[in-house]
């Protein structure tokens, strides 16, 4: 009979406030931060987590985030090259875009939020249509990772520009280049060598006239955008050079010369923040033109006075020169003045301005700092004041650091009733529990690198006792099963035994353990550093692992030597003994796990368990099943009797250091270098080893298949493809994933089913035509396909139904679209793919000509319908606006002449942007009259 096991699955992940893989966003109240593969939403004022954006089954790490101009929409890029659009209200994915081969490193929305540009480590840029949920085109030209992208709005172009423009795109890369792309023609208009080293950051000013770029050497440069030259296009100047759209201005001096990792302009306030140091953010204030002129005048006045003092015989300063200098161009240093420096409590990973002020005041600005130490801080930037005595200083408003460790989680321990979890890192001990738990354990022992053993009382969260136990690092401690003796092993080559002692005068029933202390009972000296100590559950044996890769077994009462287990090539990092005290399992840095018998010390089996060092091992209670974790980020479940791997669980993104197993066998807890703690619970779903191995092989095959289909033709930085052709600057956006492959298979199955059904019906009709009248009346039609009969659809409708169920984002790679556009899409794709065969075949001509006629007629009807509906909607909008305007003026008792006069005055007064819903000008009427004809 085939043995079955119970499957384990991930249920909770906590301990993370923010990870360092991506930037963070802040809206003045809520912080949107990456947490490995998830996005967390924090209320910074209350310190509570409001939401976790998690997609089941997706494990790629978040690498980039961007907020859309449309409300409640965020674009999130991942390490697998995918981009997901998240709805912040629903907490669900609206659309998924797959086009990049490597991690997404830069994202940018256009001003309307209908297009999204993404840059990646694969050096490509992709422009996505958010409404149609398709990739428009892929732009290639960079030779290294894209670091920043910004859209230039077409509204900034002068009104004399001819033609319609889709706007322009700015991109920077680690290849030291700044590129300007024309999205109308989809080509690079200008390439600028921005810095001598890698360009790490770039941002566009709120007025879209200045570009700041930062390099790896600490240089910050400013560039000017010539919108007149953009409107005219590429032209040759009198000197024979091409016109420059992006022109250099000057470099802005910074206080430090480290890498400029981020530059950010505030949307509405005159501030720009620059990070060129690990722990500080420089804030520059943007002066107005009047302030800059006054600053120049004061500087010239001081220079004049200084000149008079040094050279009194010199001629006085001419007023004409003063006026000429006053009319001089304002320099970059005059416009951007250092305002203040924000010094964080740790290394800053990213920052973002808050769009809302404190208490609704627009003059105060907040800035969120996401720290590399798993913490968030919000600082308040005070408004400028006229006082010179007190320079402006930032103040920390909110800080969020309690729900996570500052460094990697190194040790985990569960209470005896599994209600409290203790996690320890460098200098920090944290307790995690459920709100309704009542733990029976009240004391916790912690070993430190300094050689101390700390005893904490959980009820009062107080340190009860500190014992200087060893002269070097305490690597392991373990409690004897009778809970009377604690054993500790250290790098000072000693194993010490400690007994618990209570103060006789303080033995009170209410708080009997407040005065508990450790008393040294005896010492066992070893020949090498002690890495791990372990009591057997029956309390008879003590196992000690040493730095010499051996494990020594002693009788715990007499400390006489019993067994020596040798066979590992590298030191044993951890070990555990089964509940029946018959087996001991050891894990080592040599990537192996060995199972030994405790009766004779024989090695039952040596298993190559992990791809890297095995850091921890624990038996499951009352069984011979055990768990192992390693530096290969994997958690594995084993059968110690059959020596079989039961299940592999991957979820962590870095080395796993700590492991704890439930005393009731219900769940497992792991702690990792990525600062996260994950719980894996036992499910009711049965697991069979053969099916699990087949599933792993299928997953491996599917991953290899997708990688093979998406394998690029050339390497990164290669000017030509492997086949000798030149690399194209513009290409289509395609990427095969398992979703697109499965969609293609479903379509092929539907086509086969429809073809078989139609073939059966055609055979029946032919047979009926050949038979006589009587025989034809007696013939029975062939039975319908069960699927078609259940859905009550004909074959063509069934194929269309299958196609419509395919997600829009996967439609292009599945070679399909929808309805009439669907048929057009399929037709165009087939013609494009098989163009040479179709052209050389004259028989196809009789099929293509009617197809062209019918297709054009169908598309024209669709166009007429859309145009008619648009005209109707515009008419309804204009009628509604007219009724509301007339109702307003009727209430004010105005006559027609007064109304016309007020409308004309309003036009003159509002020469800027007028929202569409209030547009009652003649352009709306003209557009409506042209709509039916243009459709």
């Amino acid at each position: 009979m085939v043995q079955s096991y119970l499957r384990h699955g991930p249920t909770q992940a906590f301990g993370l406030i923010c990870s360092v893989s991506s930037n963070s966003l802040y809206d003045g109240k809520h912080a949107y931060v990456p947490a490995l593969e998830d996005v967390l939403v924090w209320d910074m004022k209350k310190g509570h987590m409001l939401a976790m954006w998690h997609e089941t089954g997706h494990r790629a790490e978040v690498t980039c985030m961007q907020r859309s101009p449309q409300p409640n929409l965020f674009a999130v890029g991942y390490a697998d090259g995918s981009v997901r659009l998240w709805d912040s209200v629903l907490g669900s994915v609206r659309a998924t875009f797959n086009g990049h081969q490597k991690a997404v490193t830069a994202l940018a929305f256009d001003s309307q939020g209908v297009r999204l540009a993404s840059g990646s480590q694969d050096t490509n840029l992709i422009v996505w249509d958010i409404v149609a949920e398709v990739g428009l085109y892929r732009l290639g030209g960079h030779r290294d990772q894209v670091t920043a992208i910004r859209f230039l709005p077409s509204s900034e172009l002068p009104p004399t520009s001819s033609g319609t423009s889709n706007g322009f795109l700015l991109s920077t890369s680690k290849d030291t280049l700044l590129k300007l792309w024309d999205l109308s023609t989809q080509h690079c208009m200008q390439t600028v060598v921005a810095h001598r080293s890698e360009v790490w950051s770039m941002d566009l000013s709120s007025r879209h006239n200045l570009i700041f770029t930062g390099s790896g050497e600490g240089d910050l440069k400013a560039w000017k955008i010539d919108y007149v030259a953009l409107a005219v296009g590429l032209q040759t100047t009198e000197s024979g050079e091409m016109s420059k759209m992006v022109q250099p201005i000057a470099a802005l001096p910074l206080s430090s010369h480290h890498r400029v990792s981020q530059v950010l302009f505030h949307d509405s306030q005159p501030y720009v923040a620059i990070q060129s140091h690990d722990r500080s953010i420089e804030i520059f204030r943007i002066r107005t033109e009047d302030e800059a002129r006054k600053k120049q005048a004061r500087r010239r006045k001081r220079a004049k006075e200084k000149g008079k003092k040094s050279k009194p015989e010199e001629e006085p300063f001419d007023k004409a020169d003063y006026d000429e200098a006053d009319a001089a161009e304002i320099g970059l240093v005059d416009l951007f003045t250092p305002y203040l420096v924000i010094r964080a409590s740790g290394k800053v990973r990213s920052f973002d301005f808050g769009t809302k002020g404190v208490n609704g005041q627009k003059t105060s600005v907040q800035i969120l700092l996401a720290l590399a130490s798993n913490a968030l801080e919000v600082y308040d930037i005070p408004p400028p004041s006229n006082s010179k005595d007190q320079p402006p200083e930032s103040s920390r408003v909110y800080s969020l650091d309690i729900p996570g460790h500052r460094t990697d989680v190194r040790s985990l321990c569960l209470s005896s009733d599994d209600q409290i979890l203790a996690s320890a890192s460098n200098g920090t001990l944290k307790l995690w529990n459920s709100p309704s738990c009542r733990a029976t354990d009240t004391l916790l022992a912690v070993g430190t690198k300094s050689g101390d053993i700390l005893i904490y009382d959980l009820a009062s969260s107080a340190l009860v006792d500190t014992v200087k136990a060893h002269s070097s690092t305490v690597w392991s401690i373990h409690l004897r099963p009778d809970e009377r003796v604690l054993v500790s092993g250290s790098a000072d080559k000693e194993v010490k035994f400690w007994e618990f002692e209570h103060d006789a005068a303080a033995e009170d029933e209410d708080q009997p353990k407040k005065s508990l202390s450790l008393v040294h009972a005896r010492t066992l000296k070893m020949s090498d550093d002690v890495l791990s100590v372990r009591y057997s559950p029956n309390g008879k044996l003590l196992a000690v692992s040493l730095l010499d890769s051996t494990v020594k077994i002693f009788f715990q009462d007499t400390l006489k030597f019993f067994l020596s287990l040798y066979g590992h090539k590298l030191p044993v990092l951890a070990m555990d003994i089964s509940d029946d005290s018959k087996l001991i399992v050891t894990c080592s840095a040599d990537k192996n796990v060995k199972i030994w018998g405790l009766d004779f010390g024989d090695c039952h089996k040596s298993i190559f368990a992990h791809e890297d060092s095995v850091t921890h091992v624990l038996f499951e209670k009352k069984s011979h099943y055990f768990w192992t974790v390693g530096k290969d980020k994997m958690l594995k479940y084993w059968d110690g009797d059959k020596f079989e791997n039961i299940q592999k669980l991957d979820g962590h993104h870095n080395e796993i250091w700590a492991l704890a197993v439930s005393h009731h066998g219900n769940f497992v807890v792991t702690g990792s270098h990525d600062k996260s703690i994950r719980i894996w619970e036992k499910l009711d779903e049965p697991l069979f080893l053969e099916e699990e191995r087949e599933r792993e092989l299928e997953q491996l095959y599917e991953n290899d298949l997708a990688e093979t289909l998406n394998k690029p033709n050339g390497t990164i930085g290669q000017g030509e493809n492997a086949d000798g052709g030149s690399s194209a600057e513009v290409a289509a956006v395609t990427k095969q994933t398992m979703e697109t492959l499965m969609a293609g298979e479903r379509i092929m199955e539907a086509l086969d089913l429809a073809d078989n059904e139609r073939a059966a019906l055609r055979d029946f009709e032919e047979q009926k035509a050949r038979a006589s009248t009587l025989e034809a009346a007696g013939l029975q039609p062939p039975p319908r396909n069960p699927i078609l009969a259940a859905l009550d659809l004909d074959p063509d409708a069934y194929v269309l139904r299958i196609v419509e169920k395919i997600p829009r984002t996967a439609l292009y790679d599945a070679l399909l679209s929808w309805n009439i556009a669907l048929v057009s899409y399929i037709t165009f794709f087939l013609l494009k793919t098989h163009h040479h065969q179709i052209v050389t075949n004259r028989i196809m001509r009789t099929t293509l000509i009617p197809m062209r006629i019918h297709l054009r007629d169908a598309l024209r009807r669709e166009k007429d319908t859309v145009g008619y509906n648009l005209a109707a909607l515009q008419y309804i909008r204009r009628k509604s606006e007219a009724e509301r305007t007339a109702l307003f003026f009727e209430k004010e008792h105005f006559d027609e002449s007064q109304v016309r006069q007020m409308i004309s005055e309003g036009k003159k007064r509002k020469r800027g942007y007028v929202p569409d819903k209030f547009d009652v000008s003649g352009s709306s009427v003209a557009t409506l009259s042209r709509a039916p004809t243009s459709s």
Side-chain angles (χ1 to χ4, degrees):
M1 183 178 179
V2 179
Q3 183 177 357
S4 65
Y5 304 88
L6 289 179
R7 186 181 299 276
H8 288 73
T11 55
Q12 294 184 46
F14 54 94
L16 262 180
I17 300 174
C18 63
S19 58
V20 298
S21 59
S22 168
N23 63 307
S24 301
L25 301 175
Y26 185 53
D27 63 2
K29 184 179 180 182
H30 299 151
Y32 304 86
V33 299
L36 301 178
E37 71 271 19
D38 304 327
V39 176
L40 303 182
V41 182
W42 294 95
D43 187 329
M44 291 304 300
K45 185 176 182 180
K46 299 179 180 178
H48 294 162
M49 187 175 71
L50 301 178
M52 175 188 287
W53 299 350
H54 175 78
E55 186 173 6
T56 305
H58 188 248
R59 287 196 57 254
E61 206 168 1
V62 176
T63 55
C64 189
M65 293 195 300
Q66 186 65 36
R67 184 190 297 108
S68 171
Q70 298 180 8
N72 307 323
L73 189 64
F74 290 79
V76 181
Y78 293 87
D80 60 356
S82 64
V83 179
R84 282 167 169 76
L85 294 180
W86 286 89
D87 189 322
S88 60
V89 176
L90 302 177
S92 60
V93 178
R94 284 194 188 179
T96 303
F97 301 122
N98 286 290
H100 291 291
Q101 305 297 331
K102 293 186 177 181
V104 179
T105 55
L107 291 170
F109 283 95
D110 65 357
S111 56
Q112 285 82 27
V114 296
R115 286 180 300 174
L116 172 68
S118 60
S120 169
Q121 288 180 354
D122 61 9
T123 75
N124 290 326
L125 299 168
I126 297 180
V127 180
W128 307 90
D129 188 339
I130 302 298
V131 179
E133 297 182 1
V134 293
L136 298 178
Y137 40 82
R138 185 194 305 268
L139 302 174
H142 286 292
R143 291 293 177 264
D144 208 331
Q145 170 184 325
V146 179
T147 54
I149 307 173
R150 292 295 181 271
F151 274 95
L152 287 181
S154 56
S155 60
E156 297 292 334
L157 295 175
T160 56
S161 60
S162 59
T164 59
S165 174
N166 289 330
F168 300 90
L169 193 68
L170 285 167
S171 64
T172 57
S173 170
K174 286 186 179 181
D175 58 6
T176 74
L177 300 180
L178 166 67
K179 284 181 175 287
L180 175 65
W181 305 84
D182 186 352
L183 300 184
S184 300
T185 57
Q186 301 165 18
H187 77 283
C188 181
M189 295 183 67
Q190 185 179 353
T191 299
V192 182
V193 180
H195 295 270
R196 291 179 299 177
S197 61
E198 299 172 340
V199 182
W200 277 93
S201 56
M202 183 261 292
D203 197 19
L204 193 64
S205 66
S206 56
R207 296 183 179 181
H208 307 111
N209 58 347
L210 287 178
I211 307 169
F212 274 18
T213 57
S215 73
E217 293 181 348
D219 299 329
L220 183 68
K221 291 185 179 181
W223 311 80
K224 182 178 67 174
I225 304 172
D226 190 348
Y227 282 99
V228 177
L230 277 179
V232 174
L234 289 174
Q235 289 187 351
T236 306
T237 60
E238 296 178 356
S239 61
E241 298 180 353
M242 299 298 294
S243 58
K244 305 288 186 182
M245 288 76 174
V246 178
Q247 302 170 0
I249 300 177
L252 192 67
L254 300 176
S255 60
S256 63
H257 296 283
H258 297 81
R259 184 181 76 190
V260 182
S261 55
Q262 189 175 354
V263 178
L264 185 64
F265 282 88
H266 196 281
D267 292 337
S268 56
Q269 299 295 323
Y271 296 109
V272 56
I274 298 159
Q275 182 188 355
S276 61
H277 192 268
D278 287 341
R279 292 174 176 265
S280 62
I281 306 292
E282 291 185 63
I283 306 295
F284 286 79
R285 190 173 70 86
I286 307 173
R287 290 193 180 108
T288 62
E289 188 174 348
D290 293 338
E291 290 176 340
R293 296 288 184 195
K294 292 179 181 177
K295 184 71 174 178
Q296 282 183 339
R298 286 195 298 268
R299 188 184 299 116
R300 286 192 297 270
K301 185 178 179 181
R302 286 195 299 269
K304 179 182 175 182
E305 293 175 353
K306 185 177 180 181
K308 282 183 178 181
K309 290 180 180 179
S310 60
K311 297 179 180 180
E313 71 280 357
E314 196 174 275
E315 295 181 0
F317 188 78
D318 191 8
K319 188 177 185 302
D321 296 337
Y322 183 87
D323 295 337
E324 184 180 350
D326 187 56
E329 186 178 354
I330 300 174
L332 189 72
V333 180
D334 296 326
L335 278 177
F336 294 87
T337 175
Y339 188 58
L340 58 85
V341 176
I342 300 175
R343 306 190 187 279
S345 59
K347 289 185 178 180
V348 180
R349 168 58 181 87
S350 67
F351 62 89
D352 190 26
F353 283 115
T355 56
K356 296 179 181 179
V358 181
N359 299 327
Q361 298 177 2
K362 295 183 179 180
T363 56
S364 183
V365 175
Q366 287 186 351
I367 185 170
L368 170 78
L369 305 186
L371 306 184
S373 58
N374 194 27
L376 295 174
E377 294 179 347
V378 175
Y379 287 83
D380 183 26
I381 302 174
S385 62
N386 297 326
S387 175
K388 296 182 179 179
D389 299 333
Q390 295 181 352
E393 291 185 0
S394 62
S395 59
R396 188 167 65 182
V397 184
Y398 309 121
S399 178
L400 184 62
D401 56 1
I402 293 179
H405 287 278
R406 306 285 75 77
T407 56
D408 50 334
V409 180
R410 283 287 178 161
S411 181
L412 292 171
C413 183
L414 282 165
S415 62
S416 59
D417 55 359
D418 295 339
Q419 292 296 316
I420 292 184
L421 171 68
S423 60
S425 65
N426 184 13
T428 309
L429 173 67
K430 290 186 179 290
L431 301 179
W432 314 84
N433 62 346
S434 59
S436 60
C437 78
R438 294 181 180 178
T440 57
D441 299 339
T442 57
L443 294 176
L444 183 68
V446 180
T448 66
K449 270 195 169 184
S450 60
D452 298 335
I453 295 180
L454 311 178
I455 305 296
Y456 287 92
D457 179 41
L458 301 187
S460 61
S461 299
L463 179 64
V464 177
D465 193 14
T466 301
V467 180
K468 184 62 181 177
H470 295 271
S471 60
S472 188
T473 304
V474 179
W475 286 119
S476 179
I477 56 176
H478 195 230
L479 191 64
R480 203 168 67 182
D482 58 5
E483 299 183 356
R484 293 183 178 179
V485 175
L486 180 75
V487 61
S488 62
S490 169
D492 61 2
K493 305 179 183 179
E494 290 182 346
V495 177
K496 292 187 177 181
F497 300 84
W498 309 86
E499 294 180 352
F500 296 101
E501 184 177 274
H502 302 279
D503 190 357
E507 283 192 2
D508 185 20
E509 292 184 359
D510 296 333
Q511 294 180 337
K513 296 183 180 180
K514 284 277 186 176
S515 57
L516 180 140
S517 60
L518 290 180
V519 177
H520 182 218
R522 49 184 176 168
T523 301
L524 177 63
K525 294 189 176 294
M526 307 301 297
S527 60
D528 214 331
D529 293 7
V530 179
L531 299 182
S532 179
V533 291
R534 205 77 184 174
Y535 277 111
S536 62
N538 59 11
K540 295 181 179 180
L541 301 175
L542 174 69
V544 181
S545 73
L546 304 178
L547 194 62
D548 61 2
S549 307
T550 63
V551 177
K552 310 293 185 185
I553 310 293
F554 299 89
F555 292 102
Q556 76 88 19
D557 49 359
T558 61
L559 296 184
K560 287 186 177 180
F561 177 76
F562 176 47
L563 292 171
S564 179
L565 310 179
Y566 55 89
H568 283 289
K569 297 178 181 178
L570 291 174
V572 175
L573 302 180
M575 56 187 175
D576 197 23
I577 302 174
S578 61
D579 265 7
D580 56 7
S581 301
K582 292 183 179 179
L583 295 179
I584 179 172
V585 59
T586 58
C587 65
S588 167
D590 60 8
K591 311 174 187 177
N592 290 321
V593 168
K594 293 183 183 290
I595 304 171
W596 316 77
L598 271 180
D599 44 3
F600 302 107
D602 55 326
C603 181
H604 292 181
K605 186 70 174 179
S606 179
I607 304 172
F608 183 77
H610 290 262
E611 299 295 328
D612 209 332
S613 299
V614 189
T615 56
H616 214 305
V617 60
L618 282 177
F619 270 105
E620 199 174 72
K621 302 300 178 183
K622 300 179 181 179
S623 71
H624 283 179
Y625 305 151
F626 62 90
W627 294 88
T628 60
V629 293
K631 288 185 178 180
D632 60 355
K633 315 171 191 176
M634 298 291 292
L635 167 67
K636 295 187 178 183
Y637 191 29
W638 303 86
D639 188 338
D641 291 328
K642 295 186 176 182
F643 319 122
E644 291 277 359
N645 179 218
I646 301 173
Q647 193 177 1
K648 298 177 183 178
L649 297 168
D650 56 344
H652 285 287
H653 294 260
N654 224 319
E655 299 99 335
I656 305 177
W657 295 114
L659 174 68
V661 178
S662 164
H663 293 84
H664 305 290
N666 298 328
F667 60 89
V668 181
V669 187
T670 54
S672 169
H673 191 80
D674 59 19
K675 303 182 183 67
S676 69
I677 301 172
R678 295 177 185 261
I679 296 180
W680 315 80
E681 287 190 1
K682 184 176 288 186
L683 310 176
D684 295 332
E685 180 184 354
L687 183 147
F688 299 95
L689 294 181
E690 292 185 1
E691 293 181 359
E692 189 69 12
R693 298 294 89 80
E694 290 178 1
R695 189 184 65 82
E696 291 174 2
L697 289 175
E698 286 179 3
Q699 186 175 2
L700 186 63
Y701 169 74
E702 290 173 356
N703 294 336
D704 290 343
L705 179 62
E707 290 179 3
T708 303
L709 292 174
N710 294 316
K711 188 173 293 184
N713 294 327
T715 58
I716 292 177
Q718 187 175 350
E720 295 185 351
N721 294 335
D723 56 0
S726 60
S727 57
E729 189 178 56
V730 183
V733 181
T734 58
K735 182 183 178 182
Q736 291 292 344
T737 62
M738 288 313 303
E739 183 182 16
T740 60
L741 293 176
M742 294 296 293
E745 290 181 1
R746 290 198 301 270
I747 293 170
M748 294 302 298
E749 291 175 358
L751 290 174
D752 290 341
L753 188 148
D755 287 343
N756 295 333
E757 187 73 10
R758 294 173 67 178
L761 291 174
R762 188 167 55 252
D763 293 342
F764 172 72
E765 294 296 337
E766 291 177 358
Q767 184 179 1
K768 188 176 180 181
R770 290 194 300 267
S772 60
T773 306
L774 293 176
E775 292 178 352
L779 290 176
Q780 295 292 330
R784 295 185 66 187
N785 187 283
I787 298 177
L788 298 179
L791 298 175
D792 194 19
L793 295 173
D794 56 17
D796 296 338
Y798 174 71
V799 173
L800 190 62
R801 182 190 181 100
I802 293 297
V803 170
E804 287 175 346
K805 289 183 177 181
I806 297 173
R808 179 78 181 193
T809 52
L811 222 44
Y812 182 83
D813 292 309
L815 316 178
L816 299 164
S817 184
W818 182 72
N819 285 344
I820 292 198
L822 165 64
V823 179
S824 307
Y825 227 65
I826 297 173
T827 305
F828 295 151
F829 178 82
L830 292 176
L831 291 175
K832 189 187 300 182
T833 306
H834 307 288
H835 177 261
H836 296 293
Q837 293 86 344
I838 293 173
V839 170
T840 56
N841 192 348
R842 294 184 178 180
I843 302 175
M844 295 294 296
R845 181 178 178 83
T846 57
T847 306
L848 290 176
I849 292 176
M851 183 186 298
R852 181 185 65 178
I853 297 172
H854 294 314
L855 191 58
R856 284 185 175 179
D857 291 341
L859 291 176
R860 191 177 292 111
R861 287 194 299 270
E862 287 288 312
K863 186 178 179 182
D864 292 342
T865 303
V866 172
Y868 181 82
N869 291 336
L870 286 175
L873 290 172
Q874 290 176 356
Y875 170 74
I876 293 172
R877 185 188 68 179
R878 188 181 63 169
K879 185 177 179 181
S880 174
E881 291 171 353
E883 289 177 354
R884 283 185 294 168
T885 305
L887 182 62
F888 170 74
F889 288 125
E890 283 176 5
K891 290 182 178 179
E892 298 293 334
H893 304 289
F894 292 149
D895 57 12
E896 185 176 354
S897 60
Q898 291 176 334
V899 170
R900 291 185 181 276
Q901 182 180 357
M902 292 183 65
I903 292 177
S904 62
E905 289 176 356
K907 288 182 187 178
K908 294 177 182 177
R909 198 164 50 245
K910 299 177 182 178
R911 287 176 294 178
Y913 170 71
V914 180
D916 287 340
K917 63 180 181 179
F918 298 116
D919 187 5
V920 293
S921 61
S923 61
S924 173
V925 180
T927 305
L928 179 58
S929 62
R930 287 198 302 267
T933 57
S934 63
S935 63

